[in-house]
Amino acid sequence: MEARKETKQFKAEVQQLLHLIINSLYSNQEIFFRELISNASDAIDKLRFKSQTEPEVLGDDSEFKIKIITDSDKRSLTISDNGIGMDYDEVLDNIGTIAKSGTTAFLEALEKSKKERTLTPELIGQFGVGFYSSFIAADKVTIITKAAGSETAVKWASTGGGSFEIEETTKDSRGTDVILELKEKEEDGNDFTDELTIRRIVKQHSDFVSYPIAMDVEKDEPIPEKEQVLDKDGKPVGDTTRKVIGEETLNSMKAIWLKQKKDVTEEEYNEFYKHLSHDWNSPLEKLHMKMEGTTEYNVLLYIPSKAPFDMFSPDRKHGLQLYCKRVFIMDDCKELIPDYFGFVKGVVDAPDLNLNVSREILQQDRLVRNIRKNLVKKLFDLFSGMEKEKYEAFYEEFGPAVKSGIHTDFENKDKIADLIRYKTTKSDDKLISLKDYVGNMQPDQKDIYYITGENLSSIMNSPHLEALKEKEYEVLLLTDPVDEWVVMSLTEYDGKALKSAEKGDLGLEGDKKAEKGDYAALFEHIKIRLDKTIKEVKPSARLKDSVACLSGDTYDMSAYMEKILKSTGQKVPDAKRVLELNTSHPVVVKLKELFDKDKKSEVVNDYADLLFDMAIIGEGGKIENPARFSKLVGELMANSLN
């Protein structure tokens, strides 16, 4: 059977990325080296994890190693591993495309970098596409890989243009070789075939990698006595050593998480984070501790400084790796940390765990539950104790993720509530805590008021807030989609009820419940006119300056929630809302007079339609018939100018 061989085009986003990499200058080219070493380490981790349930997958090759091979004459650099390898389809999926999640945001960032003529390592790092950084230093990159248990190997090659070649080939052993044909001259003066350069890079960026990073180097070896030339006194004549080529391990392989904090430098912490996360940014904060008691385990956690673009993708992996006595057990360990802290990266090394532990066992394991509980507690302590500026930087990136925990973790709901921050009608564009909000409440204020919506400016100036602003009550401005789920679960804070400014009774002290009174007949007429879209027309206690707004009953779905669900393709039942009219407004007063004179007036009907459309526009919605609205407004303007 003939081996497969084909030439394929890169996906559009990869082409853009490669073009930017190849045509951009970096101040730190050597970053690609760390990325390839990290990829090799990950491949061995995956094989080691698989071998726990399928020991036969290792065959005769159970000594894991990453090998660096150089050829200064050909200007080539090879980084080889004996990890899990890839088959034909996996190469296409992993190398021909960028991670499927976050692609839209990725392209937007690429476009921005194009306009600004910059491409930063942070951009590539955030998308986890470190392999492509190879083209910073290479004119051509070739991958030869063989999946564990496979009979056939795969060869992939590209010069970083718009296409790549892929074909079936042969390889003696499993694993992956990444072969770089280096550029004639590295931009930063490094020679990536030079032994001293490679030693320095490995020591600086990858010293803590759990597997030997080996390289053939020239060494001095003693010449055996029987091969030496001796003088008449029996003393050696000439050299007693000779140059030989031998393999040497370049990294110490010391587990950084097992060291004492005082023995680890900040640079070492940062480099380990970058290796672990494939993020090129330094972390915002870290948590390194040894838990002692009935059970002992070591923990090293990192808080990234930037949120990944796929943070809310269902395919996104958690950041924690589980070890037992330095032996890798698994990555993406969801059992160790809740989803709303899933952005945390790090390592947990628990010596008392069973090496053959499965995910099913993990869910029931008492030790794992204990570790999870303690990690969550320590993270709450860490976030609560952050300096104001650092916490604001953290919350800007991860606030939506933290808030999602209120809806999913009932046990820690109050602790999460202490962490969340919102802009308000009085915060001058700053974020404030619920604790600060309660501290700022007016003496006669009983409840915490909020309003949800897509646009900050729109809800800040919403008609629903007029009565609250008149009383100088502060209102929380909720613009994240996740906020809708937050207020479903967080019904009170510090004994104060959370109350929507656009639903139910505001319960404002001093405001009597609005009665229809003389307006009953007019309101009934408008209700009949708008029967398909509203369920009631009533006098408003919310409005002071505006003429109309739409509201809901206390447990109705908000307009923003309805919009969110529809945007995700979900079917949402048509919910009728309440049209509130300001009976103190001249328009409503004049409309009543007109209705009293002629209860069949078409002008009254036109005004009813206009009031409804104005209420929709006031909350940032879209009206059904903009052309008719424009025509009626034009006629009103013309009549008022006569």
Side-chain angles (χ1 to χ4, degrees), residues 350-412:
D352 295 332
L353 269 182
N354 181 348
L355 279 174
N356 294 317
V357 69
S358 67
R359 289 202 179 276
E360 292 72 23
I361 295 172
L362 276 180
Q363 291 169 1
Q364 308 299 326
D365 191 273
R366 181 186 59 80
L367 173 58
V368 171
R369 290 201 304 269
N370 179 262
I371 293 174
R372 177 186 173 111
K373 184 177 180 180
N374 285 329
L375 291 185
V376 170
K377 181 181 182 300
K378 292 294 183 181
L379 285 170
F380 277 125
D381 292 343
L382 176 69
F383 296 136
S384 300
M386 273 186 181
E387 294 178 358
K388 186 173 183 294
E389 288 186 4
K390 182 177 281 191
Y391 186 78
E392 287 174 353
F394 158 75
Y395 194 79
E396 184 177 351
E397 297 293 328
F398 301 105
V402 173
K403 285 188 286 190
S404 68
I406 285 182
H407 190 63
T408 57
D409 187 352
F410 180 80
E411 183 181 351
N412 291 302

Side-chain angles (χ1 to χ4, degrees), residues 16-17 32 92 130 317 327 338 497 512 519 529 531 582 629:
Q16 293 180 60
L17 174 67
F32 84 89
L92 284 175
K317 289 188 175 183
V327 176
K512 294 179 181 177
Y519 288 87
R529 170 73 181 176
D531 184 59
N582 183 355
F629 176 80

Side-chain angles (χ1 to χ4, degrees), residues 104-339:
T104 302
F106 174 66
L107 291 174
E108 288 173 357
L110 279 178
E111 288 301 319
K112 183 179 178 184
S113 69
K114 273 187 187 177
K115 292 173 185 175
E116 297 176 357
R117 294 183 173 277
T118 60
L119 179 65
T120 63
E122 288 79 6
L123 174 60
I124 300 177
Q126 274 184 277
F127 288 97
V129 291
F131 163 76
Y132 299 104
S133 64
S134 304
F135 290 97
I136 296 172
D139 286 326
K140 182 179 181 181
V141 180
T142 302
I143 299 172
I144 299 175
T145 182
K146 184 178 181 181
S150 175
E151 296 295 325
T152 308
V154 183
K155 180 180 179 181
W156 178 101
S158 176
T159 58
S163 64
F164 60 88
E165 295 176 350
I166 183 169
E167 61 181 300
E168 292 179 333
T169 187
T170 58
K171 187 175 185 295
D172 292 337
S173 57
R174 66 158 194 270
T176 301
D177 300 337
V178 180
I179 307 159
L180 280 67
E181 295 180 24
L182 297 167
K183 294 178 179 179
E184 281 303 313
K185 183 181 178 183
E186 285 78 13
E187 297 294 342
D188 58 6
N190 280 323
D191 180 358
F192 296 118
T193 65
D194 176 66
E195 179 188 327
L196 292 179
T197 298
I198 291 172
R199 283 181 181 276
R200 178 185 59 78
I201 292 172
V202 170
K203 185 67 179 175
Q204 181 179 349
H205 298 298
S206 307
D207 190 55
F208 37 72
V209 170
S210 303
Y211 309 106
I213 302 173
M215 181 178 177
D216 289 337
V217 297
E218 191 176 67
K219 301 178 179 180
D220 288 328
E221 178 185 81
I223 298 174
E225 287 187 12
K226 63 181 180 180
E227 297 179 20
Q228 293 180 13
V229 178
L230 306 178
D231 62 17
K232 60 181 181 179
D233 297 322
K235 293 181 180 179
V237 176
D239 293 334
T240 58
T241 62
R242 61 188 174 192
K243 299 290 185 182
V244 296
I245 301 297
E247 189 175 88
E248 183 178 331
T249 298
L250 306 182
N251 60 322
S252 69
M253 295 181 287
K254 291 180 180 176
I256 194 172
W257 60 87
L258 296 180
K259 293 182 178 182
Q260 294 188 36
K261 286 189 280 189
K262 65 181 179 63
D263 296 330
V264 185
T265 67
E266 200 65 26
E267 184 180 12
E268 287 174 324
Y269 275 128
N270 289 346
E271 288 300 330
F272 180 66
Y273 166 75
K274 292 171 183 177
H275 159 77
L276 189 72
S277 65
H278 295 277
D279 182 356
W280 291 9
N281 304 296
S282 294
L284 180 71
E285 189 60 275
K286 65 182 179 300
L287 184 63
H288 187 185
M289 58 190 178
K290 181 175 183 178
M291 304 297 289
E292 297 179 322
T294 52
T295 57
E296 293 186 358
Y297 50 93
N298 292 273
V299 176
L300 177 53
L301 304 183
Y302 292 97
I303 312 303
S305 56
K306 295 288 181 183
F309 285 85
D310 62 346
M311 186 161 69
F312 292 105
S313 166
D315 299 325
R316 179 185 62 85
K317 289 188 175 183
H318 279 48
L320 293 196
Q321 295 185 352
L322 181 61
Y323 282 74
C324 175
K325 298 177 183 175
R326 290 191 59 195
V327 176
F328 175 79
I329 302 294
M330 67 178 70
D331 61 1
D332 186 29
C333 193
K334 295 181 173 66
E335 292 74 20
L336 286 174
I337 204 163
D339 279 346

Side-chain angles (χ1 to χ4, degrees), residues 573-592:
D574 292 330
K576 293 183 178 182
R577 299 176 69 199
V578 176
L579 177 63
E580 295 191 9
L581 298 178
N582 183 355
T583 54
S584 300
H585 199 284
V587 168
V588 179
V589 174
K590 294 280 181 68
L591 189 60
K592 179 183 179 302

